[in-house]
Amino acid sequence: MVDMTRIVIIGGGPGGYEAALVAAQLGADVTVVEREGVGGACVLTDCVPSKTLIATSTRMAVLSESASLGVRFNGGPDGIVGGLEVDLGLVNKRVKDLARAQSFDISERLAYEDVRIVRGEARLTDPHTVTVNDTDLAADVVLIATGATPRVLPGAEPDGERILNWRQLYDLPELPEELIVVGSGVTGAELAGAYLSLGSKVTLVSSRDRILPTEDADAASVLQEVFLRRGMNVLSRSRAAGVRRSGDSVIVTLEDGRKVEGSHCLMTVGMEPNTRGIGLEKAGVQLSRGFVKVDKVSRTTVSNIYAAGDCTGVMMLASVAGMQGRIAMWHALGEAVQPLKLGWVAANIFTDPEVATVGVTQKMIDSGEVNARTVMLPLFSNPRAKMQGFEDGFVKLFCRPSTGIVLGGVIVAPRASELILGLSIAVQQHLTVDQVAHTFAVYPSLSGSITEASRRLMQESAY
Ligand SMILES: Cc1cc2nc3c(=O)[nH]c(=O)nc-3n(C[C@H](O)[C@H](O)[C@H](O)COP(=O)(O)OP(=O)(O)OC[C@H]3O[C@@H](n4cnc5c(N)ncnc54)[C@H](O)[C@@H]3O)c2cc1C
């Protein structure tokens, strides 16, 4: 009998379970150790629940902005949308049911591939031994995929009732009357926008000049305008110093002494890697600011130990975690492997409208790091957008000046997450704007703005 490679994976999120599936298909003996639930934080508390909630909030936003399309609601004041309200109990039940079902589906899939799932808290005893529930598991290869945890701001500790992190939102019995969201990065912006559309009054506390400070500035401006127009109170250059309860209220104190009062406060101030106390340093695995150091094929500083996902801090996305996990297993099991290319990662911010990006950024172009020509087409010039009543957004495209090779782009539009694939393919396959311009887009369609943007760049390169 041929000896099977014994692989032990710590963490059952996308970094872990995607790796397990690949390793099992390649004939390895695979064990996944998970302390909470298969699917990880991604499925149970973070990505899947937030996107499920956002499905409801987006529907609410679309309905409440349908008057210009001739939609009238019976029974509401002025015949508009007074009758529309959300049942948060039902929404939260749907969120949790869907997360549990997704976790179950992944467990079933792993079981089908003969992956062993062990429930418990794992740690490395040495590079070839993972200990869980006082049992030692021998491993030829170990994958660390332990994810990350919401960062806690000292003086603003969540109590799970009125001061919350995003993992505690789905236990709320009722919609917060006045929600203060501290932190205007992706999670803060997505959830602030969602609760606003669900009907809460929302204040977004941003320590920087604008929301989404690390994202495309044009996209962030569109989002900020939409938020303000819908009635969000955005406090820029306002850093929270502490949050405390006061009866049925919460009071957020800003560093300049101002106070903001609301019914609930949601803290979205980043993540910390789950890398403490699991024997990494003792086994020789180097960390950097708490994150596991990895190379482009997910190797750590110990030859048989790999790492994937949020615990590496490479790019905190489920899609990247899954790819890092798969790459680790392909590499460990001797398969040909393409190192991780961050320039190919398509990412999306699930606000309304959505912001999808791929490839180089406007910042890289503006700083001179990348030489590129750019074009930006506002969504209001797109015929389908006009018909659907969408005005906020744009398609931005970047290409090499001489060859016209597509380098990247930004799409701000409803369901931008579905539109970005065309640009992702163009970037990954080094297509030119001429090639994209000659591709048929459906008329009328939002994706027509991608081919139109390519035509504009193509015309420019002709001169
Ligand atoms: C609110 C929110 C929304 C998001 N939305 C998106 C999105 O739309 N798209 C996207 O691509 N990404 C999204 N992300 C990011 C995405 O959730 C993460 O990048 C992804 O979960 C990372 O996967 P992972 O496998 O590294 O970690 P996780 O999903 O966190 O899984 C790690 C698992 O390891 C387990 N674990 C930890 N330590 C141990 C131990 N010692 N023993 C046993 N088990 C252990 C944990 O219990 C956990 O289940 C979102 C994040 C947040 C916070």
PDB file of all heavy atoms in Angstrom, residues 140-171:
ATOM      1  N   ASP A 140       2.267  14.939   8.425  1.00  0.00           N
ATOM      2  CA  ASP A 140       3.406  15.215   7.537  1.00  0.00           C
ATOM      3  C   ASP A 140       3.386  16.690   7.142  1.00  0.00           C
ATOM      4  O   ASP A 140       4.416  17.324   7.010  1.00  0.00           O
ATOM      5  CB  ASP A 140       3.301  14.341   6.277  1.00  0.00           C
ATOM      6  CG  ASP A 140       3.275  12.860   6.638  1.00  0.00           C
ATOM      7  OD1 ASP A 140       4.185  12.411   7.353  1.00  0.00           O
ATOM      8  OD2 ASP A 140       2.312  12.175   6.235  1.00  0.00           O
ATOM      9  N   VAL A 141       2.163  17.188   6.946  1.00  0.00           N
ATOM     10  CA  VAL A 141       1.974  18.586   6.543  1.00  0.00           C
ATOM     11  C   VAL A 141       0.897  19.201   7.438  1.00  0.00           C
ATOM     12  O   VAL A 141      -0.124  18.564   7.710  1.00  0.00           O
ATOM     13  CB  VAL A 141       1.514  18.670   5.064  1.00  0.00           C
ATOM     14  CG1 VAL A 141       1.167  20.105   4.688  1.00  0.00           C
ATOM     15  CG2 VAL A 141       2.556  18.096   4.129  1.00  0.00           C
ATOM     16  N   VAL A 142       1.160  20.426   7.893  1.00  0.00           N
ATOM     17  CA  VAL A 142       0.154  21.136   8.695  1.00  0.00           C
ATOM     18  C   VAL A 142      -0.228  22.415   7.943  1.00  0.00           C
ATOM     19  O   VAL A 142       0.636  23.089   7.371  1.00  0.00           O
ATOM     20  CB  VAL A 142       0.721  21.522  10.084  1.00  0.00           C
ATOM     21  CG1 VAL A 142      -0.283  22.362  10.877  1.00  0.00           C
ATOM     22  CG2 VAL A 142       1.096  20.269  10.879  1.00  0.00           C
ATOM     23  N   LEU A 143      -1.513  22.725   7.940  1.00  0.00           N
ATOM     24  CA  LEU A 143      -1.965  24.014   7.397  1.00  0.00           C
ATOM     25  C   LEU A 143      -2.610  24.804   8.529  1.00  0.00           C
ATOM     26  O   LEU A 143      -3.557  24.322   9.169  1.00  0.00           O
ATOM     27  CB  LEU A 143      -2.980  23.816   6.258  1.00  0.00           C
ATOM     28  CG  LEU A 143      -3.556  25.128   5.705  1.00  0.00           C
ATOM     29  CD1 LEU A 143      -2.518  25.878   4.854  1.00  0.00           C
ATOM     30  CD2 LEU A 143      -4.811  24.882   4.861  1.00  0.00           C
ATOM     31  N   ILE A 144      -2.096  26.008   8.758  1.00  0.00           N
ATOM     32  CA  ILE A 144      -2.697  26.909   9.758  1.00  0.00           C
ATOM     33  C   ILE A 144      -3.689  27.800   9.018  1.00  0.00           C
ATOM     34  O   ILE A 144      -3.308  28.542   8.113  1.00  0.00           O
ATOM     35  CB  ILE A 144      -1.622  27.824  10.421  1.00  0.00           C
ATOM     36  CG1 ILE A 144      -0.403  27.021  10.885  1.00  0.00           C
ATOM     37  CG2 ILE A 144      -2.214  28.656  11.549  1.00  0.00           C
ATOM     38  CD1 ILE A 144      -0.664  26.068  12.001  1.00  0.00           C
ATOM     39  N   ALA A 145      -4.956  27.684   9.401  1.00  0.00           N
ATOM     40  CA  ALA A 145      -5.998  28.513   8.747  1.00  0.00           C
ATOM     41  C   ALA A 145      -6.977  28.963   9.823  1.00  0.00           C
ATOM     42  O   ALA A 145      -8.173  28.697   9.755  1.00  0.00           O
ATOM     43  CB  ALA A 145      -6.696  27.709   7.655  1.00  0.00           C
ATOM     44  N   THR A 146      -6.420  29.646  10.831  1.00  0.00           N
ATOM     45  CA  THR A 146      -7.194  29.939  12.039  1.00  0.00           C
ATOM     46  C   THR A 146      -7.970  31.251  11.991  1.00  0.00           C
ATOM     47  O   THR A 146      -8.679  31.585  12.947  1.00  0.00           O
ATOM     48  CB  THR A 146      -6.240  29.963  13.263  1.00  0.00           C
ATOM     49  OG1 THR A 146      -5.094  30.762  12.933  1.00  0.00           O
ATOM     50  CG2 THR A 146      -5.772  28.560  13.624  1.00  0.00           C
ATOM     51  N   GLY A 147      -7.822  32.017  10.915  1.00  0.00           N
ATOM     52  CA  GLY A 147      -8.653  33.208  10.753  1.00  0.00           C
ATOM     53  C   GLY A 147      -8.295  34.347  11.686  1.00  0.00           C
ATOM     54  O   GLY A 147      -7.155  34.444  12.161  1.00  0.00           O
ATOM     55  N   ALA A 148      -9.274  35.197  11.956  1.00  0.00           N
ATOM     56  CA  ALA A 148      -9.037  36.394  12.764  1.00  0.00           C
ATOM     57  C   ALA A 148     -10.298  36.738  13.562  1.00  0.00           C
ATOM     58  O   ALA A 148     -11.370  36.176  13.325  1.00  0.00           O
ATOM     59  CB  ALA A 148      -8.646  37.559  11.853  1.00  0.00           C
ATOM     60  N   THR A 149     -10.117  37.665  14.494  1.00  0.00           N
ATOM     61  CA  THR A 149     -11.182  38.022  15.444  1.00  0.00           C
ATOM     62  C   THR A 149     -11.343  39.547  15.437  1.00  0.00           C
ATOM     63  O   THR A 149     -10.355  40.254  15.262  1.00  0.00           O
ATOM     64  CB  THR A 149     -10.719  37.583  16.871  1.00  0.00           C
ATOM     65  OG1 THR A 149     -10.393  36.205  16.803  1.00  0.00           O
ATOM     66  CG2 THR A 149     -11.767  37.801  17.923  1.00  0.00           C
ATOM     67  N   PRO A 150     -12.572  40.041  15.663  1.00  0.00           N
ATOM     68  CA  PRO A 150     -12.744  41.501  15.680  1.00  0.00           C
ATOM     69  C   PRO A 150     -11.822  42.174  16.707  1.00  0.00           C
ATOM     70  O   PRO A 150     -11.706  41.699  17.832  1.00  0.00           O
ATOM     71  CB  PRO A 150     -14.210  41.687  16.091  1.00  0.00           C
ATOM     72  CG  PRO A 150     -14.874  40.390  15.771  1.00  0.00           C
ATOM     73  CD  PRO A 150     -13.840  39.323  15.862  1.00  0.00           C
ATOM     74  N   ARG A 151     -11.167  43.261  16.281  1.00  0.00           N
ATOM     75  CA  ARG A 151     -10.290  43.993  17.200  1.00  0.00           C
ATOM     76  C   ARG A 151     -11.164  44.764  18.198  1.00  0.00           C
ATOM     77  O   ARG A 151     -12.219  45.283  17.827  1.00  0.00           O
ATOM     78  CB  ARG A 151      -9.429  44.980  16.400  1.00  0.00           C
ATOM     79  CG  ARG A 151      -8.327  45.622  17.195  1.00  0.00           C
ATOM     80  CD  ARG A 151      -7.336  46.286  16.259  1.00  0.00           C
ATOM     81  NE  ARG A 151      -7.772  47.609  15.825  1.00  0.00           N
ATOM     82  CZ  ARG A 151      -7.637  48.721  16.552  1.00  0.00           C
ATOM     83  NH1 ARG A 151      -7.051  48.680  17.736  1.00  0.00           N
ATOM     84  NH2 ARG A 151      -8.056  49.874  16.072  1.00  0.00           N
ATOM     85  N   VAL A 152     -10.719  44.785  19.436  1.00  0.00           N
ATOM     86  CA  VAL A 152     -11.470  45.521  20.466  1.00  0.00           C
ATOM     87  C   VAL A 152     -10.711  46.797  20.801  1.00  0.00           C
ATOM     88  O   VAL A 152      -9.517  46.760  21.095  1.00  0.00           O
ATOM     89  CB  VAL A 152     -11.645  44.649  21.740  1.00  0.00           C
ATOM     90  CG1 VAL A 152     -12.367  45.445  22.831  1.00  0.00           C
ATOM     91  CG2 VAL A 152     -12.414  43.370  21.416  1.00  0.00           C
ATOM     92  N   LEU A 153     -11.423  47.922  20.740  1.00  0.00           N
ATOM     93  CA  LEU A 153     -10.829  49.208  21.105  1.00  0.00           C
ATOM     94  C   LEU A 153     -10.939  49.331  22.624  1.00  0.00           C
ATOM     95  O   LEU A 153     -12.044  49.265  23.166  1.00  0.00           O
ATOM     96  CB  LEU A 153     -11.635  50.318  20.416  1.00  0.00           C
ATOM     97  CG  LEU A 153     -11.109  51.726  20.426  1.00  0.00           C
ATOM     98  CD1 LEU A 153      -9.894  51.838  19.494  1.00  0.00           C
ATOM     99  CD2 LEU A 153     -12.207  52.680  19.939  1.00  0.00           C
ATOM    100  N   PRO A 154      -9.801  49.493  23.336  1.00  0.00           N
ATOM    101  CA  PRO A 154      -9.909  49.623  24.798  1.00  0.00           C
ATOM    102  C   PRO A 154     -10.827  50.795  25.158  1.00  0.00           C
ATOM    103  O   PRO A 154     -10.721  51.879  24.577  1.00  0.00           O
ATOM    104  CB  PRO A 154      -8.455  49.895  25.235  1.00  0.00           C
ATOM    105  CG  PRO A 154      -7.611  49.397  24.105  1.00  0.00           C
ATOM    106  CD  PRO A 154      -8.412  49.584  22.852  1.00  0.00           C
ATOM    107  N   GLY A 155     -11.741  50.553  26.057  1.00  0.00           N
ATOM    108  CA  GLY A 155     -12.703  51.604  26.430  1.00  0.00           C
ATOM    109  C   GLY A 155     -13.971  51.524  25.600  1.00  0.00           C
ATOM    110  O   GLY A 155     -14.882  52.337  25.755  1.00  0.00           O
ATOM    111  N   ALA A 156     -14.030  50.552  24.693  1.00  0.00           N
ATOM    112  CA  ALA A 156     -15.239  50.391  23.871  1.00  0.00           C
ATOM    113  C   ALA A 156     -15.528  48.896  23.721  1.00  0.00           C
ATOM    114  O   ALA A 156     -15.812  48.418  22.637  1.00  0.00           O
ATOM    115  CB  ALA A 156     -15.030  51.044  22.509  1.00  0.00           C
ATOM    116  N   GLU A 157     -15.448  48.193  24.845  1.00  0.00           N
ATOM    117  CA  GLU A 157     -15.623  46.738  24.810  1.00  0.00           C
ATOM    118  C   GLU A 157     -17.079  46.391  24.523  1.00  0.00           C
ATOM    119  O   GLU A 157     -17.988  46.920  25.181  1.00  0.00           O
ATOM    120  CB  GLU A 157     -15.194  46.107  26.144  1.00  0.00           C
ATOM    121  CG  GLU A 157     -13.699  46.122  26.409  1.00  0.00           C
ATOM    122  CD  GLU A 157     -13.170  47.493  26.872  1.00  0.00           C
ATOM    123  OE1 GLU A 157     -13.997  48.395  27.150  1.00  0.00           O
ATOM    124  OE2 GLU A 157     -11.935  47.652  26.935  1.00  0.00           O
ATOM    125  N   PRO A 158     -17.341  45.502  23.549  1.00  0.00           N
ATOM    126  CA  PRO A 158     -18.727  45.107  23.258  1.00  0.00           C
ATOM    127  C   PRO A 158     -19.372  44.401  24.447  1.00  0.00           C
ATOM    128  O   PRO A 158     -18.704  43.645  25.159  1.00  0.00           O
ATOM    129  CB  PRO A 158     -18.574  44.133  22.080  1.00  0.00           C
ATOM    130  CG  PRO A 158     -17.260  44.453  21.474  1.00  0.00           C
ATOM    131  CD  PRO A 158     -16.387  44.899  22.607  1.00  0.00           C
ATOM    132  N   ASP A 159     -20.666  44.690  24.677  1.00  0.00           N
ATOM    133  CA  ASP A 159     -21.395  43.965  25.725  1.00  0.00           C
ATOM    134  C   ASP A 159     -22.425  43.019  25.110  1.00  0.00           C
ATOM    135  O   ASP A 159     -23.152  42.332  25.817  1.00  0.00           O
ATOM    136  CB  ASP A 159     -22.069  44.946  26.698  1.00  0.00           C
ATOM    137  CG  ASP A 159     -23.131  45.815  26.021  1.00  0.00           C
ATOM    138  OD1 ASP A 159     -23.448  45.573  24.835  1.00  0.00           O
ATOM    139  OD2 ASP A 159     -23.644  46.732  26.662  1.00  0.00           O
ATOM    140  N   GLY A 160     -22.495  43.007  23.781  1.00  0.00           N
ATOM    141  CA  GLY A 160     -23.406  42.078  23.101  1.00  0.00           C
ATOM    142  C   GLY A 160     -24.845  42.545  23.078  1.00  0.00           C
ATOM    143  O   GLY A 160     -25.698  41.914  22.467  1.00  0.00           O
ATOM    144  N   GLU A 161     -25.157  43.643  23.780  1.00  0.00           N
ATOM    145  CA  GLU A 161     -26.550  44.137  23.811  1.00  0.00           C
ATOM    146  C   GLU A 161     -26.699  45.452  23.056  1.00  0.00           C
ATOM    147  O   GLU A 161     -27.522  45.599  22.179  1.00  0.00           O
ATOM    148  CB  GLU A 161     -26.986  44.355  25.257  1.00  0.00           C
ATOM    149  CG  GLU A 161     -27.299  43.061  25.962  1.00  0.00           C
ATOM    150  CD  GLU A 161     -27.751  43.303  27.382  1.00  0.00           C
ATOM    151  OE1 GLU A 161     -28.001  44.468  27.770  1.00  0.00           O
ATOM    152  OE2 GLU A 161     -27.836  42.313  28.119  1.00  0.00           O
ATOM    153  N   ARG A 162     -25.865  46.410  23.446  1.00  0.00           N
ATOM    154  CA  ARG A 162     -25.957  47.731  22.783  1.00  0.00           C
ATOM    155  C   ARG A 162     -24.620  48.163  22.193  1.00  0.00           C
ATOM    156  O   ARG A 162     -24.589  48.965  21.275  1.00  0.00           O
ATOM    157  CB  ARG A 162     -26.464  48.780  23.774  1.00  0.00           C
ATOM    158  CG  ARG A 162     -27.925  48.524  24.093  1.00  0.00           C
ATOM    159  CD  ARG A 162     -28.579  49.639  24.833  1.00  0.00           C
ATOM    160  NE  ARG A 162     -29.981  49.292  25.027  1.00  0.00           N
ATOM    161  CZ  ARG A 162     -30.944  49.653  24.197  1.00  0.00           C
ATOM    162  NH1 ARG A 162     -30.683  50.385  23.152  1.00  0.00           N
ATOM    163  NH2 ARG A 162     -32.194  49.273  24.425  1.00  0.00           N
ATOM    164  N   ILE A 163     -23.537  47.634  22.743  1.00  0.00           N
ATOM    165  CA  ILE A 163     -22.226  47.884  22.132  1.00  0.00           C
ATOM    166  C   ILE A 163     -21.826  46.548  21.511  1.00  0.00           C
ATOM    167  O   ILE A 163     -21.650  45.544  22.209  1.00  0.00           O
ATOM    168  CB  ILE A 163     -21.185  48.336  23.175  1.00  0.00           C
ATOM    169  CG1 ILE A 163     -21.711  49.550  23.944  1.00  0.00           C
ATOM    170  CG2 ILE A 163     -19.850  48.654  22.503  1.00  0.00           C
ATOM    171  CD1 ILE A 163     -20.851  49.977  25.119  1.00  0.00           C
ATOM    172  N   LEU A 164     -21.742  46.548  20.184  1.00  0.00           N
ATOM    173  CA  LEU A 164     -21.693  45.261  19.484  1.00  0.00           C
ATOM    174  C   LEU A 164     -20.509  45.191  18.532  1.00  0.00           C
ATOM    175  O   LEU A 164     -20.079  46.208  17.988  1.00  0.00           O
ATOM    176  CB  LEU A 164     -22.962  45.089  18.646  1.00  0.00           C
ATOM    177  CG  LEU A 164     -24.289  45.278  19.374  1.00  0.00           C
ATOM    178  CD1 LEU A 164     -25.363  45.728  18.392  1.00  0.00           C
ATOM    179  CD2 LEU A 164     -24.701  43.982  20.037  1.00  0.00           C
ATOM    180  N   ASN A 165     -20.017  43.969  18.319  1.00  0.00           N
ATOM    181  CA  ASN A 165     -19.197  43.764  17.127  1.00  0.00           C
ATOM    182  C   ASN A 165     -20.110  43.116  16.079  1.00  0.00           C
ATOM    183  O   ASN A 165     -21.256  42.762  16.380  1.00  0.00           O
ATOM    184  CB  ASN A 165     -17.931  42.947  17.418  1.00  0.00           C
ATOM    185  CG  ASN A 165     -18.231  41.518  17.838  1.00  0.00           C
ATOM    186  OD1 ASN A 165     -19.147  40.891  17.329  1.00  0.00           O
ATOM    187  ND2 ASN A 165     -17.462  41.001  18.779  1.00  0.00           N
ATOM    188  N   TRP A 166     -19.619  42.959  14.848  1.00  0.00           N
ATOM    189  CA  TRP A 166     -20.526  42.516  13.777  1.00  0.00           C
ATOM    190  C   TRP A 166     -21.008  41.088  13.984  1.00  0.00           C
ATOM    191  O   TRP A 166     -22.003  40.701  13.424  1.00  0.00           O
ATOM    192  CB  TRP A 166     -19.868  42.684  12.404  1.00  0.00           C
ATOM    193  CG  TRP A 166     -18.589  41.922  12.239  1.00  0.00           C
ATOM    194  CD1 TRP A 166     -18.472  40.607  11.894  1.00  0.00           C
ATOM    195  CD2 TRP A 166     -17.261  42.404  12.428  1.00  0.00           C
ATOM    196  NE1 TRP A 166     -17.150  40.246  11.855  1.00  0.00           N
ATOM    197  CE2 TRP A 166     -16.384  41.334  12.174  1.00  0.00           C
ATOM    198  CE3 TRP A 166     -16.734  43.640  12.780  1.00  0.00           C
ATOM    199  CZ2 TRP A 166     -15.003  41.459  12.267  1.00  0.00           C
ATOM    200  CZ3 TRP A 166     -15.364  43.764  12.862  1.00  0.00           C
ATOM    201  CH2 TRP A 166     -14.504  42.689  12.611  1.00  0.00           C
ATOM    202  N   ARG A 167     -20.293  40.322  14.814  1.00  0.00           N
ATOM    203  CA  ARG A 167     -20.726  38.936  15.026  1.00  0.00           C
ATOM    204  C   ARG A 167     -21.924  38.850  15.963  1.00  0.00           C
ATOM    205  O   ARG A 167     -22.549  37.808  16.082  1.00  0.00           O
ATOM    206  CB  ARG A 167     -19.549  38.109  15.569  1.00  0.00           C
ATOM    207  CG  ARG A 167     -18.446  37.997  14.538  1.00  0.00           C
ATOM    208  CD  ARG A 167     -17.279  37.145  14.943  1.00  0.00           C
ATOM    209  NE  ARG A 167     -16.345  37.113  13.812  1.00  0.00           N
ATOM    210  CZ  ARG A 167     -15.132  36.592  13.846  1.00  0.00           C
ATOM    211  NH1 ARG A 167     -14.679  36.032  14.953  1.00  0.00           N
ATOM    212  NH2 ARG A 167     -14.366  36.590  12.773  1.00  0.00           N
ATOM    213  N   GLN A 168     -22.213  39.957  16.672  1.00  0.00           N
ATOM    214  CA  GLN A 168     -23.318  39.945  17.642  1.00  0.00           C
ATOM    215  C   GLN A 168     -24.591  40.570  17.078  1.00  0.00           C
ATOM    216  O   GLN A 168     -25.617  40.589  17.746  1.00  0.00           O
ATOM    217  CB  GLN A 168     -22.869  40.724  18.895  1.00  0.00           C
ATOM    218  CG  GLN A 168     -21.669  40.075  19.567  1.00  0.00           C
ATOM    219  CD  GLN A 168     -20.986  41.000  20.568  1.00  0.00           C
ATOM    220  OE1 GLN A 168     -20.987  42.212  20.394  1.00  0.00           O
ATOM    221  NE2 GLN A 168     -20.409  40.429  21.606  1.00  0.00           N
ATOM    222  N   LEU A 169     -24.522  41.048  15.837  1.00  0.00           N
ATOM    223  CA  LEU A 169     -25.669  41.786  15.282  1.00  0.00           C
ATOM    224  C   LEU A 169     -26.913  40.920  15.112  1.00  0.00           C
ATOM    225  O   LEU A 169     -28.036  41.406  15.226  1.00  0.00           O
ATOM    226  CB  LEU A 169     -25.296  42.335  13.902  1.00  0.00           C
ATOM    227  CG  LEU A 169     -24.423  43.572  13.856  1.00  0.00           C
ATOM    228  CD1 LEU A 169     -24.025  43.861  12.412  1.00  0.00           C
ATOM    229  CD2 LEU A 169     -25.156  44.761  14.453  1.00  0.00           C
ATOM    230  N   TYR A 170     -26.689  39.641  14.819  1.00  0.00           N
ATOM    231  CA  TYR A 170     -27.826  38.813  14.385  1.00  0.00           C
ATOM    232  C   TYR A 170     -28.641  38.267  15.549  1.00  0.00           C
ATOM    233  O   TYR A 170     -29.559  37.489  15.369  1.00  0.00           O
ATOM    234  CB  TYR A 170     -27.318  37.717  13.432  1.00  0.00           C
ATOM    235  CG  TYR A 170     -26.459  38.346  12.355  1.00  0.00           C
ATOM    236  CD1 TYR A 170     -25.061  38.254  12.382  1.00  0.00           C
ATOM    237  CD2 TYR A 170     -27.050  39.130  11.369  1.00  0.00           C
ATOM    238  CE1 TYR A 170     -24.283  38.899  11.440  1.00  0.00           C
ATOM    239  CE2 TYR A 170     -26.271  39.785  10.418  1.00  0.00           C
ATOM    240  CZ  TYR A 170     -24.890  39.665  10.465  1.00  0.00           C
ATOM    241  OH  TYR A 170     -24.124  40.322   9.536  1.00  0.00           O
ATOM    242  N   ASP A 171     -28.271  38.705  16.789  1.00  0.00           N
ATOM    243  CA  ASP A 171     -29.083  38.369  17.951  1.00  0.00           C
ATOM    244  C   ASP A 171     -29.963  39.550  18.357  1.00  0.00           C
ATOM    245  O   ASP A 171     -30.711  39.456  19.322  1.00  0.00           O
ATOM    246  CB  ASP A 171     -28.174  37.984  19.143  1.00  0.00           C
ATOM    247  CG  ASP A 171     -27.486  36.648  18.891  1.00  0.00           C
ATOM    248  OD1 ASP A 171     -28.132  35.766  18.281  1.00  0.00           O
ATOM    249  OD2 ASP A 171     -26.307  36.497  19.255  1.00  0.00           O
TER     250      ASP A 171
END
